[in-house]
Amino acid sequence: MAVCSAYTTQSLNSTCSISTPAKTHLGFHQKQVVFYRRSSKRGGSGSSSGPCVITCSAGDSQTVVIGLAADSGCGKSTFMRRLTSVFGGAAEPPKGGNPDSNTLISDMTTVICLDDYHSLDRTGRKEKGVTALDPRANDFDLMYEQVKAIKSGVAVDKPIYNHVTGLLDPPELIKPPKILVIEGLHPMFDERVRDLLDFSIYLDISNEVKFAWKIQRDMAERGHSLESIKASIEARKPDFDAYIDPQKKYADAVIEVLPTQLIPGDNEGKVLRVRLIMKEGVKHFSPVYLFDEGSTISWIPCGRKLTCSYPGIKFHYGPDTYFGNEVSILEMDGQFDRLDELIYVESHLSNISTKFYGEVTQQMLKHADFPGSNNGTGLFQTIVGLKIRDLYEQITSSKTAAPLEATKA
Amino acid sequence: MATLRFNSLTGTLEKNPTSSFSSNPRLSWAYFQCNNKGERRASGMTVKAMGAAKYKGTQMREKKLTEMIEKKVTEAKQVCEGDETSDECKVAWDEVEEVSQAKADLRLRLEIEKKDPLESFCQENPETEECKIYED
């Protein structure tokens, strides 16, 4: 089943890969024919005088695009690993390409780091006095064009931002995958990019937890001290609050990570309170719930059936509003110590989109060495991964049911 | 108990640990002697523990990032002495964050994936400087 749509391409530039049908590097089921219309008019605003491209793609090759906003580096984060693992296969950097590539590719998914769309490299940012958080350091036009192209089945030559050298390296070819994940600081900043996303997630780490995590991350480094770690967070905060944080109101799911309430005065950041804030009414996404949808419940699983060690586990579920949107919030405070705790909790959650009983537990065990495997961060990241799989299957099955359409050039 | 696996393609011995390694990605070298019916076979081969860097390129990157962190923290402190709210100060600390995160990513990759990030690059380009097996 094929759908053909015609585009005029007034912005034919080097990032757009249009080729004759003989070349097969474009991807799985793509065929493209480019018609050039001769016109005596040069330039101007005429999109009608530009070349016309008719793209035919098989119905189920439409790429599903997921956006993930996170301030924790790119493509190598635990969340990405859990997500790609749900779909099966390990995600690896493109073989034989630039060793400093940020991209991860598995059978079903490709994860792109949005730092690759920096318009200014490290030197450029220093000259202009802008941080990487600032929109002025990023090329949203290119981001939009390329994500749009990949979504419609066209491969693109995407730049590479090298985090070691701080330079922009020569581009790498990205072929349209079944699922494209764009991860970085600004996946929902630009409205056009936002509209391309089939699902979006925002990872919201509270200041206290961020501080604790960065201490764990950096204290072993020769150059760092408590003061330098603190100063770095403080200095980035204004830009973070101005440009990154406001994106969370657009997210379909927010994973909020806070200090635990089970241990008074705890600031180690080891025991965490994690809230999964799920927007209601999102297409192909039914929020996870405890006991009954729309009701409010507090639940402590530890008791007679289950013995937990200190500080235990506490759940909460209920409806709420978040930046003016109707949401459902599932919250977990505490830690899993044993396998049977995890299974017990899983058996009481509903709408988790597992394909078999114990799938969440299995996924968590598979990556027991990942950070967060014993608390809500790992649990909710895994669940979101399963919801995304469910979303993908719903979208692709509805696409193959779509009737054949043809549009005239 | 650890098992030794001889990889004839690259000529390196890889040890599969059953216990997890320390978080220090620095290399720990060990000499293993293959015992066969009580005979001692001289190994002259060195074993690199999985979870640590294997290629020179990765070792170089680790070293470079460590130095950059130190350097950029010092720079940031200097720049911010005048005005903590200045753009230059913000940018300086942002650079510190960038290289700190890059180092942490590399460390995480080595520990969790237990594979050198240059693995696939070096399969294709074994003759480059970066792909020399790291030797202390």
Side-chain angles (χ1 to χ4, degrees), chain A residues 81 92-93 97 99-100 122 125-126 131-132 161 164 214 217 221-224 232 235-236 239 370, chain B residues 61 68 70 73 75 87 90-91 93-94 96-98 100-101 103-104 107 109 112-113 115 118 121:
Chain A
R81 291 206 177 84
E92 312 216 326
D100 292 313
R122 208 178 279 157
R125 294 198 301 269
K126 202 182 200 124
T131 64
Y161 178 76
V164 179
K214 294 216 167 157
R217 188 190 74 179
E221 292 301 330
R222 231 169 26 218
H224 267 300
S232 178
R236 290 174 88 243
D239 277 7
F370 284 8
Chain B
R61 272 180 183 76
M68 279 207 292
E70 248 193 298
V73 168
E75 266 174 37
D87 285 344
K90 272 193 322 192
V91 172
W93 283 118
D94 191 42
V96 169
E97 168 62 25
E98 193 189 342
S100 301
Q101 186 62 52
K103 175 104 200 278
R107 203 168 52 229
R109 256 173 108 171
I112 289 193
E113 287 177 16
K115 206 168 58 170
L118 286 178
F121 176 79

Side-chain angles (χ1 to χ4, degrees), chain A residues 263-325:
Chain A
I263 305 173
D266 174 74
N267 60 356
E268 301 245 322
K270 293 220 160 77
V271 182
L272 297 169
R273 176 174 162 230
V274 190
R275 308 172 83 220
L276 178 58
I277 302 168
M278 299 165 280
K279 211 181 248 184
E280 290 288 344
V282 174
K283 206 169 175 202
H284 305 302
F285 173 64
S286 48
V288 180
Y289 66 90
L290 248 186
F291 192 67
D292 198 13
E293 283 173 284
S295 64
T296 302
I297 185 166
S298 274
W299 181 47
I300 297 176
C302 316
R304 288 210 190 104
K305 266 191 184 166
L306 193 72
T307 359
C308 312
S309 51
Y310 184 79
I313 304 171
K314 195 167 172 190
F315 275 89
H316 186 272
Y317 165 77
D320 209 333
T321 48
Y322 187 74
F323 293 101
N325 300 310

Side-chain angles (χ1 to χ4, degrees), chain A residues 228-250:
Chain A
S228 65
I229 296 169
K230 191 149 190 266
S232 178
I233 297 179
E234 295 293 314
R236 290 174 88 243
K237 201 159 184 303
D239 277 7
F240 189 86
D241 291 342
Y243 306 122
I244 314 301
D245 200 63
Q247 292 176 88
K248 64 191 188 195
K249 61 178 170 284
Y250 300 116

Side-chain angles (χ1 to χ4, degrees), chain B residues 58-107:
Chain B
T58 301
Q59 208 60 25
M60 276 162 41
R61 272 180 183 76
E62 258 195 300
K63 189 155 169 272
K64 182 169 181 197
L65 285 168
T66 308
E67 286 167 8
M68 279 207 292
I69 292 176
E70 248 193 298
K71 184 175 128 203
K72 290 197 185 290
V73 168
T74 313
E75 266 174 37
K77 285 181 182 159
Q78 281 170 358
V79 167
C80 297
E81 244 162 56
D83 179 8
E84 259 177 19
T85 57
S86 68
D87 285 344
E88 289 78 22
C89 181
K90 272 193 322 192
V91 172
W93 283 118
D94 191 42
E95 285 191 12
V96 169
E97 168 62 25
E98 193 189 342
V99 294
S100 301
Q101 186 62 52
K103 175 104 200 278
D105 283 342
L106 181 60
R107 203 168 52 229

Side-chain angles (χ1 to χ4, degrees), chain B residues 118-134:
Chain B
L118 286 178
E119 186 76 47
S120 79
F121 176 79
C122 288
Q123 299 280 7
E124 316 262 326
N125 307 284
E127 71 292 337
T128 58
E129 182 69 27
E130 284 196 302
C131 292
K132 289 207 168 71
I133 305 292
Y134 178 82

